Structures are given as C-alpha cells and as structure tokens.
Amino acid sequence: MRVAYWPGCVSRGFTPELHGSMELVAPLLDIELIELDRANCCGAGVIAEHNQELVDTLNARTFAMAQRVAGSAGMMNICSTCQGAQSECQQRLDADDDYRRLINQHLRPEGLEYKRGDDWTNKNLLWLLVEEIGLEKLRERVVRPLEGLRVAPFYGCYIVRPTGRLGYGEFPDRDRYLEWVIDAVGATPVEYAGSHKCCGFPVITMNKATSLRQAGRHLADAIDADADCLVTPCPLCHLNLDLQQPDAAKFVERPLDIPVLHFPQMIGLALGLEPKELGMGKHVVRTRDVERKVAALAAV
Amino acid sequence: MPDYTLKIRRYDPESGDAAYWQDFTVDLAPERSVLDGILRARDQEDGSLSIRCSCQAAICGSCGVRINGKSALACNTKLSDAAERAQRGGINNEATSNGAIVVEPMGNMPVLKDLIVDMDAVHWKKIQRVVPWLLPEGEPPEREYIVDAEAMIDVTQSMACIQCGACVSACLSMEVDPEFIGPAALAKAYRFVGDPRDAHHEDRLRDLAEDPHGIYDCTHCFACIEVCPKDVAPMSQIMRLRRRATGDYAIKDSNNGYGHEKAFVDIVERWGTLHEAQLLPRSFGDGSLVKGQTRPAAVKQLIDSAPAALRGLARGKVSPRKVLIHPKLPDQKEVRRIYEEIEGRDERIELNLYIVGEEGEGGADDKEPVQGESGAES
Ligand code: SF4
Ligand code: SF4
Ligand code: FES
C-alpha cells in the first residue's frame, strides 16, 4: 500500500528514532512511504490558537501535496498531535465550500488545491494498521511474539478527543486500538488510569508543575500496574514521558524508571527488528529490561 | 421492559464509613434516562440514595455525574446507550462493572453525599473568580444598550453554558492543579471578553494571562469539549482568550504564554517546520531569541530546563549541529507568502462551525459562514 507520508516535525527533530523506526517497519508491512518532504508543520494546536485561517491554509497545503501523490491510498501520519491538529482543519475545510475556496486561494500561486473527497483520508499509523492493513495480517507477520511483555498504552489527547471530529462515529473502537495491537504482537496490554489522559506537554513551558505532575502521575500508575513499558503513537507525549521523566519524578516525589516505546518501535520488535536499529538507545530512560525480555524470546 | 443494573458509588459522611459500591436493578424502557433509573432505584429500594436534579430535560444543569467514567448529565443519557457503553467496558472504570452501568459523582469536586458534589466549593467559586458580570464604561444608557446582532454571534456559544460542571469534572489540568480556573469559568470569561458592551477586555485578559492558573494552565486535552452537553467547547473559548491576549493586546505575561505562541508561529514562518532547539529560549524571551538568552528571568528558566536538553544531547537524540542549524523547507518562500497574505490583513477570518453547523454542505447563498475576527471554531 502506498501512502503519502507525513512524519511531522518532532519525529525528525527531537525523536529521530521514531521516523527511523517507521522507515524500517514500513516495508515489513507492505507500506510504501512517499514522504511529503516539502510540507510544513501542522501547527500542533499553537498556530490554531494564533490564527485559524493560517493553520487551515498550512494544513490544506499539506493535504493538497498528499492528494497529488499518484496511486496513494491516502495520507499517513505517525503523530497523535498531527492527527488531531490536521483533523481539526480538515473538518472546517470540508464543512463549507466558501471557506474551502477562500483557503485554496492562498494555495493557488503554488499550483496547489485541497479537494474535498469523501474517501480521501489522513490516518495515523495506528488507525491505518487496524482499519486498512488489518490485525490478521499483522499477526501473520509477527516473527517474535512479545510474550510476557506488559505494555501500558498511552494514546495522546489529540487522537482520542473530541470523538465527533476524529471519526469515532464510523470507527467507535479507535480508543481501543492500542490495546488490540499490543495483544496482536503477543504482548499483554496493561490497564491503568492514565492511558487516555494528557501527558502535559502543551504547557511544559507555561506551567511546569501542571505539566510534569500529569506525566509523572501516569508513569507512576503504569508502574503500579506492573507495566514493563509504555507505548505511544505521539512523539510529543514521548518527550514529556521519556525526555522529561527524570524531572517528572521530582514533581511526583517518587522514583520513576519506566521506558516509553514509540508505536512503530513496538511493532518493529515483534517483526524481528533489533532494539538498536529501532533507535531505542536514543531514549533517555534506558530500555535495557525490555531489550532483555525481548532477547529471551526466540524468533519463531 | 428490560432490566438495567446500575452500579452506584455511595457515600454518607455522617455514617463515618468509607465510600462503597452498590448495585440496583431497575426495570425501565431503553429510551428512559439514567436519571430515571436512579430515581426509580431511590423510590423502590433505598430512599436515602441522593442525587440533585430538577428539570429532567438537560436545561437546569443540576444532574451532572460520571457514567461509565465519562462526565455527563444523567437526564440526558439514555439507559440503552449507557448499557451499551458499559458492555463494551468503559475506559478506566474504577469499578469492574460486569456490564453494569457505573454511576459516580463528578470528579475534581468534593463529594457531599452519594452523587452530590460540592459545586459551591469549586465550580461556583471559580465562576466568581472571573467577575461574571458586565463592566460597562460610564453611565448606563437611558434605555437599553444597543448592540449589533452580528457582534453577539461570537459569544453565543459561551452563553449556551448551563453551569452543570461536567467540564470541570473532566478537566485534566484541574486534576493535577486544583487551583486552575478551569473550563467553565474561562468560557464564562470569554462571554464578557467577547461582548462589545464590556469596557474591560484588556484588564480581564491581563488578569487571566498573568494568573499562573489562568488561560495558560490549560493543557489542551479536549476533555471539556468532549463532555459538554451544550457544545460550549470551553477549550476553544480559552484559545480565543489567548488569541485576543496575544494578538489584540500583545500581553507579555510572566507564564511565557505570549512568548511560546510567538516563538512557535515565528519559527514556522522562518523554517516551515519546528526548530525545537530555538523554541525554549524564544518562548522564555517573549518570542525573541536574544531576550531569551539575556534577560535574567528567561535565563533562569532556560537553565532550569537545560537538564532535559542535555539528556537529549547525551543520548544522541539531537546533535549539536541539529541544535544550531535547522534546514528550511525547499519552498519556504511559499509558506512565508501565506503568512504575509493572512497576517498582513487586519481582520482575522474564522469559520464558526457552532453557527454554520458541522454537516454544512456549504455554498448556500443565504448564509454568511466567514466572519471577520469574531468567528468561532467548534
Ligand atoms: S482542554 Fe483545558 S480546560 Fe478543557 S479539560 Fe483540558 S485542561 Fe481543562
Ligand atoms: S461549559 Fe458545558 S460542561 Fe461546562 S458547565 Fe457549561 S454546559 Fe456544563
Ligand atoms: S435534571 Fe436538569 S439538566 Fe438534568
């Protein structure tokens, strides 16, 4: 399956291991990535806060580029925040012809146009995997079932709320997919309070206490539920849960030491890729224990 | 008629006992509400079961509870829908429900008894905090204030609030920071900041921007938008408050709200994608890189945040080169042109989905979807 691929800024910036592991995992799932390397930042909610017309135009530009990728099944992203920010713009662009025309005027000098199409979609890898590729196929491809690994899902707000805008009408189980995929790769999904809550990242520069108390609390809850690691489809959540974890520990006044995997990394492990090639050495919280468990699992 | 099992959180402070769960089975038609179920349980099984309610029609806002973990009005939730959700399993129910509909008091507020929470102690106190009345300038006119109907469209969404507290119950910032002014009160604040008759827009905004628990303490989690029974979209109102504070009044607050927005927007204008290494110093310096590295308060914040950056460097996440040099997009001039076209205009254009409707086919001649400045997002 060919997709117009939007990796997002953070996966090529502060979490390069995410983009890297996606590129390794894609061929193993028969996904052909056509990277949108001329597209711009989604705005991550901040440009939306600043000027709606601007953010809608910037994302319409990305959509228009994606729609030009010949033979693609749609656009794919690997960031919950990109998903949410872009879905918000797409909802407005699709809702009103006049408004869409107005936005498209800004794209005309570049020869671009966003066309509303009922079957054109922008899906996070998580959605694409479950809805288009299918968990059956994923199961067939697993060469190293992650048996015994207890994984706590962490979705990221932007991919679970608001349900009205994020396609939950058609796909009501989108808030379950991480658990399903964890199960499909042979690991055990861990239930804990924080899975659908906020990592706190959006206010890290504005209110560090609010931000890191959220991250710290969810990490602590996952530890108390006996998780070996967390997994997240959002690199911004990863920044607060992993990069900031040592600071988060101070805000919740307890030691935290739990690795956080990017979603494609977890799939990569099950598909036989090695932790090192998946960039797990780049995490701030050491992934040793997860690696040891995985190494003990014989590849089938 | 089908049987529904309600698993209700009980608590009576006078008994001295801890809170506990109790199951009630009621025999009611599927389209009846969870509130009907609770009242039936009270009438038939236990007269001491307590809940606040009045209109039973989603108007008075008194019956807020959490149903299967989600904040909602009990009178506005059908038994059949709640049961279906319960069968599927709520997300993070504290109780293992075995298919029963789980009903708890709202969150973020102290419980007085069973399903009744102390709205005065939290919700109403926060509403008062934002001065929820009009502050016009000078003597009132002899007759009524005359306002252009257009000018009021912008605040209709925030006026739809029925003060039920569901958003307060669901707010994820308030969960870790009880002092956060919160979604309902901030939506109410916008109701006056967006009202042309009010003469204190800037004072109100400055107050809410400078308060460390004000508009910049919202973590953008969408929980309030998700649960509000009246589509008030409190988070969107908070974003409007921020937009006015930064865009219209350039209020440079000590929480870095102004700096963060300006830094982010400017970085994308310059490079097209996010240059993370510059985001922090610029945020701490009201958007300016130089200020962010020289002004004492900014430097202190930068040093406080340095450990995280150093950890990133140490793990090879970011190379020193990447910190210094960020590539521009190949067609960056196009992004700049878009910025100039839109930011060069005086008015801000917004599409108000609350008013035009989300299912809009668009193009109808009789409607005016695009508004200058005063539009609203859903
Ligand atoms: S979006 Fe902001 S106000 Fe709304 S629930 Fe989340 S933190 Fe609270
Ligand atoms: S904003 Fe919505 S959820 Fe919050 S109090 Fe008002 S009506 Fe209730
Ligand atoms: S009883 Fe009035 S809103 Fe539910």
Side-chain angles (χ1 to χ4, degrees):
Chain A
M1 174 193 314
R2 169 182 290 193
V3 293
Y5 169 53
W6 171 241
C9 301
V10 180
S11 80
R12 293 169 299 178
F14 272 21
T15 64
E17 68 278 6
L18 168 57
H19 181 44
S21 48
M22 185 65 237
E23 286 190 317
L24 294 178
V25 164
L28 302 178
L29 292 170
D30 303 330
I31 304 175
E32 187 194 349
L33 303 174
I34 309 294
E35 189 175 330
L36 298 169
D37 51 7
R38 308 180 95 80
N40 45 258
C41 175
C42 73
V46 185
I47 299 183
E49 159 188 333
H50 172 74
N51 188 318
Q52 200 191 78
E53 184 189 5
L54 180 60
V55 78
D56 287 351
T57 306
L58 290 173
N59 281 312
R61 180 175 181 267
T62 305
F63 299 155
M65 288 177 173
Q67 287 180 332
R68 290 222 292 207
V69 174
S72 68
M75 178 172 147
M76 185 187 91
N77 66 77
I78 50 170
C79 171
S80 298
T81 302
C82 290
Q83 179 71 62
Q86 291 175 334
S87 291
E88 181 181 328
C89 296
Q90 200 189 344
Q91 184 191 31
R92 283 190 291 262
L93 291 165
D94 287 353
D96 195 283
D97 293 345
D98 291 340
Y99 185 67
R100 189 168 57 257
R101 254 192 300 271
L102 173 99
I103 297 297
N104 271 326
Q105 272 169 20
H106 297 303
L107 303 181
R108 200 173 298 149
E110 211 179 342
L112 291 169
E113 185 191 356
Y114 166 67
K115 297 187 199 68
R116 174 184 162 162
D118 291 332
D119 48 357
W120 183 82
T121 57
N122 168 31
K123 290 190 177 185
N124 185 276
L125 170 67
L126 176 64
W127 295 353
L128 191 94
L129 186 57
V130 175
E131 292 158 11
E132 317 277 331
I133 297 174
L135 292 175
E136 263 328 294
K137 181 156 163 191
L138 173 65
R139 278 200 188 89
E140 283 164 22
R141 298 280 164 103
V142 168
V143 295
R144 178 165 54 196
L146 305 177
E147 260 159 49
L149 194 68
R150 294 178 53 81
V151 182
F154 195 91
Y155 284 83
C157 298
Y158 276 82
I159 205 168
V160 287
R161 286 177 295 271
T163 48
R165 177 195 294 158
L166 292 170
Y168 280 77
E170 192 181 347
F171 303 104
D173 290 319
R174 282 184 169 175
D175 55 5
R176 289 291 151 96
Y177 288 180
L178 268 181
E179 284 86 338
W180 291 359
V181 176
I182 292 168
D183 177 69
V185 297
T188 307
V190 174
E191 247 191 74
Y192 70 113
S195 55
H196 296 71
K197 291 189 179 175
C198 181
C199 72
F201 182 79
V203 289
I204 186 77
T205 52
M206 276 103 84
N207 193 327
K208 206 168 179 180
T210 294
S211 181
L212 292 183
R213 264 189 230 141
Q214 304 201 49
R217 195 179 277 198
H218 309 324
L219 291 162
D221 285 342
I223 292 169
D224 292 345
D226 262 341
D228 294 310
C229 63
L230 278 78
V231 68
T232 181
C234 183
L236 286 87
C237 294
H238 197 270
L239 290 179
N240 240 31
L241 297 172
D242 177 67
L243 183 72
Q244 299 280 3
Q245 195 178 119
D247 284 344
K250 290 179 209 149
F251 280 94
V252 290
E253 293 169 359
R254 59 175 279 182
L256 301 167
D257 188 18
I258 182 163
V260 185
L261 304 187
H262 296 285
F263 183 59
Q265 285 177 327
M266 178 185 75
I267 298 167
L269 288 175
L271 298 182
L273 297 169
E274 293 310 317
K276 190 152 190 290
E277 36 180 353
L278 293 166
M280 284 167 56
K282 292 206 161 99
H283 294 194
V284 163
V285 179
R286 296 292 188 191
T287 54
R288 266 179 256 123
D289 292 348
V290 172
E291 290 174 34
R292 212 171 290 137
K293 280 206 174 185
V294 170
L297 299 165
V300 184
Chain B
M1 271 182 295
D3 276 348
Y4 291 99
T5 304
L6 300 168
K7 188 179 200 70
I8 299 179
R9 187 83 170 156
R10 304 289 312 268
Y11 173 65
D12 179 4
E14 279 166 23
S15 74
D17 297 332
Y20 61 99
W21 293 101
Q22 189 175 0
D23 285 0
F24 296 90
T25 301
V26 293
D27 181 16
L28 280 172
E31 67 278 7
R32 299 290 291 277
S33 72
V34 172
L35 179 61
D36 289 333
I38 295 165
L39 297 179
R40 174 69 61 93
R42 184 191 68 188
D43 294 345
Q44 290 186 340
E45 289 185 56
D46 183 348
S48 74
L49 178 58
S50 307
I51 183 167
R52 233 186 239 125
C53 66
S54 172
C55 71
Q56 307 199 24
I59 295 166
C60 72
S62 55
C63 67
V65 290
R66 277 183 293 178
I67 301 169
N68 301 317
K70 188 169 172 180
S71 304
L73 298 175
C75 72
N76 197 26
T77 308
K78 285 195 189 114
L79 280 166
S80 54
D81 292 346
E84 198 189 310
R85 189 80 198 174
Q87 287 298 336
R88 181 178 171 261
I91 291 168
N92 303 313
N93 274 337
E94 284 181 19
T96 3
S97 75
N98 289 326
I101 299 167
V102 178
V103 188
E104 298 162 84
M106 289 198 286
N108 289 332
M109 289 178 269
V111 180
L112 293 174
K113 185 168 190 293
D114 295 336
L115 300 172
I116 299 177
V117 297
D118 192 345
M119 295 277 283
D120 289 339
V122 181
H123 175 73
W124 291 112
K125 213 172 100 195
K126 288 173 188 297
I127 294 284
Q128 278 188 356
R129 160 71 185 79
V130 302
V131 195
W133 54 83
L134 201 68
L135 297 170
E137 195 75 296
E139 291 296 303
E142 216 157 279
R143 302 182 57 165
E144 67 273 32
Y145 284 97
I146 310 286
V147 186
D148 188 3
E150 275 286 292
M152 293 305 283
I153 289 179
D154 188 35
V155 289
T156 50
Q157 192 173 17
S158 56
M159 284 162 78
C161 174
I162 57 169
Q163 307 296 343
C164 67
C167 56
V168 173
S169 161
C171 178
L172 294 178
S173 272
M174 214 182 272
E175 199 174 275
V176 295
D177 177 11
E179 286 183 70
F180 176 39
I181 296 175
L186 290 172
K188 178 59 78 189
Y190 188 69
R191 187 247 166 278
F192 295 101
V193 166
D195 190 320
R197 295 168 297 175
D198 193 273
H200 293 270
H201 295 167
E202 185 173 356
D203 303 335
R204 289 178 186 272
L205 287 166
R206 194 170 294 282
D207 169 42
L208 297 173
E210 283 297 351
D211 190 323
H213 312 286
I215 51 177
Y216 295 116
D217 197 18
C218 160
T219 185
H220 215 286
C221 74
F222 302 95
C224 53
I225 297 187
E226 178 66 17
V227 302
C228 175
K230 294 291 167 188
D231 286 333
V232 171
M235 188 191 99
S236 302
Q237 312 311 328
I238 297 171
M239 294 309 133
R240 289 202 181 94
L241 289 168
R242 289 186 183 180
R243 195 176 301 152
R244 297 240 166 160
T246 56
D248 295 350
Y249 297 101
I251 295 170
K252 295 177 181 157
D253 59 289
S254 49
N255 299 307
N256 307 318
Y258 174 88
H260 178 254
E261 183 189 307
K262 177 143 182 34
F264 195 109
V265 171
D266 288 354
I267 284 172
V268 174
E269 179 174 14
R270 177 138 176 219
W271 285 283
T273 56
L274 191 57
H275 185 355
E276 294 131 312
Q278 289 213 356
L279 188 58
L280 280 190
R282 281 175 185 254
S283 295
F284 297 149
D286 294 336
S288 143
L289 185 60
V290 176
K291 247 196 206 173
Q293 293 178 337
T294 51
R295 196 169 66 186
V299 171
K300 181 178 177 309
Q301 294 187 70
L302 202 55
I303 290 170
D304 283 349
S305 65
L310 291 176
R311 284 194 292 272
L313 279 170
R315 292 288 191 273
K317 262 180 174 312
V318 268
S319 63
R321 194 186 142 74
K322 200 144 119 189
V323 171
L324 294 171
I325 302 163
H326 187 73
K328 271 186 195 158
L329 282 183
D331 305 318
Q332 182 53 23
K333 62 173 194 324
E334 297 293 342
V335 173
R336 269 176 185 269
R337 178 189 50 75
I338 290 170
Y339 264 77
E340 276 157 25
E341 281 178 20
I342 295 170
E343 305 250 86
R345 256 199 261 110
D346 277 343
E347 54 161 14
R348 283 192 299 265
I349 292 177
E350 294 177 25
L351 178 73
N352 192 332
L353 287 184
Y354 179 76
I355 289 161
V356 303
E358 288 170 25
E359 303 297 325
E361 288 303 299
D365 295 332
D366 57 342
K367 91 178 172 226
E368 185 56 66
V370 176
Q371 284 143 12
E373 166 54 72
S374 54
E377 77 229 65
S378 160

